[in-house]
Amino acid sequence: MDKIRIRGGRPLRGKIPISGAKNAALPLLAASLLSDETLVLRNLPHLADIATMTHLLAQHGAEISMAGEHPGGGHMGHVLKLRAREITSTEAPYDIVRKMRASVLVLGPLLARCGRARVSLPGGCAIGTRPVDMHIRGLEALGAEIELDDGYIIAEAPHGLQGGVVVFPRVSVGATENLLMAASLAKGEVVLENAAREPEVGDLANCLNRMGARIEGIDGDTLRIQGVDRLGAADYAVLPDRIEAATYAIAAAITGGEVELIGAQTETMEAVLAALGEANVNVQRTECGIRVGVDAGAKGGVRGIDVTTAPYPGFPTDLQAQIMALMSVADGAAMITETIFENRFQHVPELMRMGADIAVKSATAVVRGSGGPGGGGLHGAPVMATDLRASVSLVLAGLASAGETMVNRVYHLDRGYERLEEKLSACGADIVRLTE
Ligand code: EPZ
């Protein structure tokens, strides 16, 4: 299995191109099942999770072809043409769903288009139990009949889905996306209340509207969807990955360097950029993206700050591990509270093995920083993590550590960071992938 070796202590300097957002791309790919016409998706990141989703879609009968790179290459990613002329199977088997929970996003489209679906229950994962009860209750509110049998969700709506009101008891990105897709082909009006406002949900809604859906209230917490009989062709570019961009912003800060994040959008990153600003990290908008750096000489290094994760527009749970890595080299203490997932502190013991001073009490971690970026508070170690963002937080800590860090279980990183080692080494990091 591949490993990543990092020799830390080198400030990052340069430009990093930001890829298309994984968490926008996955529902957009699933949306291709809603139409018998072609959906062209541009700026798709080249990632293991995208490959898993295309494998699942092909299994449902979608024809998929790669339409090549964006002219000139650069930060634009791959283009896929997807056409689900006919749905040949309405089953999403356990073997694919267990690899990637986002597979459950085919439930809404299959049910809306074919009147039935059999989708494996995703089960828990490293960061929490992650039930799908809100996806199920929401589809039931649109008239679906759903049973759980043998680890599968068996859903039927032989006469199509109906209009209705769904009030989500808590904010769920995936449930909002599944319901948005299903509602697009319902008979009548669907209202989704307490909907997720994540930019990735807005991206899906915009693409569905391009396909002929009638969705109003995009980016708000109440979405109104007038169902239509069919959806058609569309050509759509996936939005830039705000989590990837913020991860590299933190990489610049943790090494005491300065990078320009090409293609990053400040509008979708306000909570994170505000937190970085409070931590004494300089953030500037540029013509092509955002410049992030630490002006250690004039103003001192990174300062400890308190962060609480929350649904968008709050501070994203998908950046909690990365900000914790930064706080472990900050000047002063930080309090980091996780409110979205019940088990998302898996990086803590690994960061502590690298010398971080962290105490966890239920959902809050108190981090006593080692005094400033490049300050040598952390030291390299062999580490591994059980999920994507925890893994990348160890890469960040490795970049700021004295000595060598070996990150195991690299497949987690390959699920969500496109060409991570290439992007970092282009800015001067000493990072290589070792293939065994
Ligand atoms: C999405 O997961 C993202 N994944 C996650 O990114 C992200 O961490 C999460 O949203 C929160 O922002 C994709 O977009 C593919 P949720 P999702 O439904 O949709 C509970 C990453 O690292 N819940 O918003 O699965 C749930 O357990 C990943 O890229 C229910 O109780 O998350 C959690 O506590 C990991 N019942 C909370 O809601 C349900 O039916 C929010 O989960 C659904 C969710």
Side-chain angles (χ1 to χ4, degrees):
M1 226 182 278
D2 291 2
K3 292 177 179 177
I4 284 188
R5 189 196 67 205
I6 302 154
R7 295 192 175 124
R10 299 166 70 134
L12 294 191
R13 293 202 192 283
K15 294 178 194 286
I16 300 185
I18 299 308
S19 299
K22 167 183 80 92
N23 289 347
L26 292 171
L28 288 169
L29 286 163
S32 68
L33 295 177
L34 287 163
S35 169
D36 60 1
E37 292 187 42
T38 303
L39 176 63
V40 178
L41 291 178
R42 301 178 189 276
N43 199 31
L44 283 168
H46 188 82
L47 296 170
D49 274 7
I50 301 298
T52 305
M53 184 58 101
T54 53
H55 178 53
L56 178 61
L57 299 177
Q59 189 272 145
H60 292 306
E63 300 154 26
I64 303 170
S65 59
M66 202 174 278
E69 297 283 335
H70 190 261
H75 71 278
M76 294 295 276
H78 297 290
V79 180
L80 285 186
K81 284 187 178 176
L82 304 111
R83 182 162 192 190
R85 211 184 291 261
E86 223 182 298
I87 302 292
T88 53
S89 158
T90 52
E91 174 161 333
Y94 173 70
D95 262 0
I96 303 181
V97 179
R98 80 183 159 82
K99 278 196 214 153
M100 188 185 67
R101 295 181 48 84
S103 308
V104 80
L105 292 172
V106 299
L107 175 63
L110 289 174
L111 183 61
R113 175 145 169 217
C114 308
R116 63 178 192 282
R118 187 168 186 272
V119 175
S120 174
L121 275 166
C125 76
I127 60 176
T129 49
R130 302 184 75 181
V132 287
D133 55 313
M134 290 194 277
H135 301 236
I136 293 173
R137 297 285 100 76
L139 292 168
E140 282 174 341
L142 307 191
E145 285 178 16
I146 301 187
E147 274 176 41
L148 301 182
D149 188 31
D150 260 352
Y152 275 79
I153 305 166
I154 300 166
E156 294 208 354
H159 308 295
L161 294 167
Q162 311 298 319
V165 178
V166 177
V167 184
F168 294 110
R170 66 182 288 196
V171 175
S172 163
V173 174
T176 304
E177 291 168 342
N178 237 335
L179 265 293
L180 251 185
M181 291 188 277
S184 297
L185 290 181
K187 296 187 178 75
E189 184 185 72
V190 176
V191 181
L192 304 179
E193 288 182 10
N194 197 25
R197 296 166 58 191
E198 268 67 4
E200 294 75 18
V201 175
D203 215 32
L204 172 65
N206 285 322
C207 177
L208 290 170
N209 277 353
R210 289 264 182 96
M211 294 166 75
R214 292 173 58 201
I215 303 169
E216 283 174 13
I218 298 178
D219 297 333
D221 61 5
T222 301
L223 294 163
R224 276 179 193 280
I225 306 113
Q226 308 294 334
V228 295
D229 291 341
R230 59 183 304 277
L231 295 179
D235 189 320
Y236 196 79
V238 180
L239 95 168
D241 196 323
R242 64 195 168 100
I243 305 296
E244 187 201 27
T247 301
Y248 291 128
I250 293 173
I254 205 167
T255 59
E258 184 178 276
V259 297
E260 189 177 2
L261 306 165
I262 308 297
Q265 284 179 346
T266 46
E267 316 80 87
T268 59
M269 296 173 64
E270 280 176 11
V272 181
L273 298 181
L276 288 175
E278 198 190 329
N280 209 19
V281 178
N282 297 323
V283 178
Q284 272 176 302
R285 200 192 276 250
T286 65
E287 235 170 70
C288 317
I290 308 175
R291 184 174 297 117
V292 183
V294 174
D295 184 3
K299 292 199 279 175
V302 174
R303 260 200 307 261
I305 54 161
D306 295 344
V307 169
T308 299
T309 63
Y312 192 85
F315 189 94
T317 172
D318 288 349
L319 287 169
Q320 179 258 107
Q322 298 91 313
I323 200 82
M324 195 180 300
L326 180 63
M327 291 299 104
S328 31
V329 300
D331 192 0
M335 209 161 73
I336 299 178
T337 304
E338 170 61 50
T339 70
I340 308 292
F341 291 109
E342 68 273 21
N343 193 24
R344 212 174 194 183
F345 281 147
Q346 307 256 334
H347 41 285
V348 169
E350 299 298 292
L351 289 172
M352 288 172 74
R353 292 180 56 243
M354 300 174 77
D357 179 350
I358 307 171
V360 174
K361 194 158 186 218
S362 56
T364 297
V366 174
V367 187
R368 291 189 177 79
S370 65
L378 299 184
H379 49 79
V383 287
M384 66 177 174
T386 42
D387 82 277
L388 166 62
R389 310 300 172 186
S391 298
V392 87
S393 77
L394 302 175
V395 171
L396 296 174
L399 293 172
S401 292
E404 188 172 291
T405 296
M406 196 71 84
V407 182
N408 294 285
R409 293 198 184 156
V410 166
Y411 60 88
H412 287 302
L413 292 167
D414 294 337
R415 293 184 60 174
Y417 288 91
E418 184 177 18
R419 298 185 286 114
L420 171 93
E421 341 57 284
E422 241 177 79
K423 291 187 183 186
L424 288 171
S425 52
C427 292
D430 183 345
I431 175 168
V432 285
R433 180 182 291 248
L434 305 174
T435 306
E436 284 184 353

